[in-house]
Amino acid sequence: MATDAPPPSKSGSPLPSTEEFTEVQESAEFGELRSSYRSFAFPLTVAFIAWYLLYVLLSNYAGDFMGTKLFGNINVALVLGLAQFLTTFLIAWWYSRHAAAKLDPKAEAIKSRMEGGA
C-alpha cells in the first residue's frame, strides 16, 4: 500500500560529507559522548544479564530454595521473577534520566554543529 506522504524536501542545508562525519567521529567531543554512553550502558547490561542468569540458574538447580513459601502462595521464585520486571523498568527509567542529562545535550551540540555547518 502506498502512502500519501510527500517526498522529503530538497531545500535546506546540505548533508555533511563523509569527511565531516569522519572528523566528528574522531573528535574529542564525540569520544566523550561515546565514553559517557558506554560507561553507563555496558556495566548495567552486564549486571542485568548476570542477575537474569542467576534467576535462571536458581530456577533450574535450587528448586527447594525457589519453592520456599514466603507468605500464602507467594514463594521466592515469584518474588524474584517479579523483581526481574521491576529491575527492567528501573534500568530503563535510570537510562532515560542519564541520557537526558548527559548524552542528549552532547549529541544535540554535535548534531546542530553538523547540520548548521558551524
Side-chain angles (χ1 to χ4, degrees):
M1 174 192 242
T3 62
D4 294 328
S9 173
K10 297 290 183 187
S11 64
S13 61
L15 293 175
S17 67
T18 303
E19 292 80 19
E20 290 171 318
F21 276 113
T22 304
E23 181 182 320
V24 167
Q25 182 182 7
E26 294 170 352
S27 71
E29 186 180 23
F30 188 79
E32 290 174 20
L33 174 63
R34 186 175 39 225
S35 174
S36 182
Y37 167 75
R38 288 179 177 173
S39 67
F40 186 88
F42 289 172
L44 272 179
T45 300
V46 169
F48 185 78
I49 290 172
W51 159 230
Y52 175 73
L53 289 175
L54 174 68
Y55 176 73
V56 171
L57 290 172
L58 286 173
S59 295
N60 283 320
Y61 300 110
D64 291 338
F65 170 71
M66 295 296 270
T68 303
K69 291 195 181 219
L70 299 175
F71 49 90
N73 286 330
I74 307 299
N75 61 16
V76 173
L78 179 63
V79 171
L80 293 180
L82 292 174
Q84 289 286 320
F85 288 102
L86 178 64
T87 54
T88 300
F89 290 115
L90 286 175
I91 289 171
W93 170 78
W94 192 14
Y95 176 76
S96 71
R97 286 179 46 103
H98 172 75
K102 301 228 165 94
L103 303 178
D104 293 348
K106 291 177 185 178
E108 187 59 40
I110 293 170
K111 179 183 173 205
S112 64
R113 190 172 63 250
M114 288 197 69
E115 289 179 346

